[in-house]
Amino acid sequence: HSTYLTSEEFKKEQESLKGGFDGIGVQFRIISDTIVVIQPVKGGPSIKAGIMAGDRIVTINDTIRAGKKIENEDVMRLLKGKKGTRVKLGIKREGVSKLITFVVNREEIPTYSVDYYGMIDSKTGYIRLSQFSQTTDKEVNDALQSLKSKSMKQLVFDLRGNGGGYLEQAYKVADQFLPLGDLIVYTEGRRRDRSDLVATEGGLFERGKLIILIDELSASASEIVSGAMQDNDRAMIVGRRTFGKGLVQEQKLLPDGSAIR
């Protein structure tokens, strides 16, 4: 599993896990060689400028980007940029004959790991977690507190498609569900002594029925959390056989910004 990451590759991989990046704040999809805005990020610069879901980005900085072969990476490279810089967009909107011009100021765009949480019924809560980033523990904590304030007695915790992230965040999330002293995970290496991570007291949902949803794309930190719940008989695991990573990786940064994982 060892690999080398160039400085650019390392930067991209870390960006989403750090909980934010600089850009214009749109979710997009390329449909028939056209950049289509699926949804502007709530509170982001695009929604402030007036860009709407369904808008088609035809020009970026006066260069036509529609009707050409364009990849997601190309679009992200053009739309992302240093906070405070501007990007000029020519937008085709349904019902408007001419292109509409928007000048959008790039800002820091927060990224979230809790995609959604809410009540399924009067006593059942639901949390969907997409990754384990630097902000995951706080996001899950906030979600649990909100759901408990709505009289949640049982919880569905959805880890389907969650490819993992930071080990420390996986440990903190699992700690919300397990009582004092339960073993969550241990690490041990060829030149590294065994290190146990055990649950502390004061988790927000140490009692109450818990179901964890998993699938074949649930990996790494997702497997640590679901495995800890299963081994401690804390939750029922529902879904498909997970990815099967079975190890924890560390990264060594090199002077030029690249890394060895």
Side-chain angles (χ1 to χ4, degrees), residues 194-253:
R194 173 168 168 157
S195 174
D196 290 2
L197 293 176
V198 298
T200 61
E201 58 185 343
L204 288 176
F205 197 68
E206 293 182 355
R207 295 185 179 182
K209 290 182 179 179
L210 177 63
I211 287 178
I212 295 186
L213 303 182
I214 51 160
D215 64 10
E216 66 277 12
L217 298 178
S218 303
S220 193
S222 292
E223 293 174 304
I224 288 171
V225 172
S226 53
M229 298 305 115
Q230 187 174 59
D231 288 351
N232 287 293
D233 294 325
R234 174 64 185 91
M236 178 181 290
I237 312 298
V238 178
R240 306 179 67 166
R241 186 185 299 273
T242 57
F243 183 81
K245 193 174 179 208
L247 69 140
V248 173
Q249 293 166 285
E250 294 178 328
Q251 289 169 158
K252 179 178 176 59
L253 282 174

Side-chain angles (χ1 to χ4, degrees), residues 140-155:
V140 172
N141 189 297
D142 292 346
L144 288 171
Q145 287 194 8
S146 176
L147 294 174
K148 287 182 72 174
S149 72
K150 297 174 182 176
S151 303
M152 176 184 69
K153 298 292 187 294
Q154 51 195 27
L155 175 67

Side-chain angles (χ1 to χ4, degrees), residues 45-92:
S46 287
I47 204 166
K48 292 175 187 174
I51 293 173
M52 301 166 60
D55 283 349
R56 295 172 181 266
I57 301 175
V58 178
T59 65
I60 301 176
N61 290 331
D62 295 321
T63 301
I64 295 176
R65 299 293 176 179
K68 300 180 178 181
K69 280 288 180 184
I70 190 166
E71 304 292 334
N72 282 345
E73 287 291 320
D74 301 322
V75 179
M76 288 189 283
R77 178 175 50 82
L78 291 165
L79 297 183
K80 287 181 180 180
K82 198 170 183 179
K83 181 179 178 181
T85 58
R86 295 182 173 186
V87 59
K88 184 180 179 183
L89 303 177
I91 298 288
K92 178 70 177 76

Side-chain angles (χ1 to χ4, degrees), residues 35-46:
I35 307 161
V36 180
V37 176
I38 303 300
Q39 183 179 342
V41 175
K42 185 178 179 181
S46 287

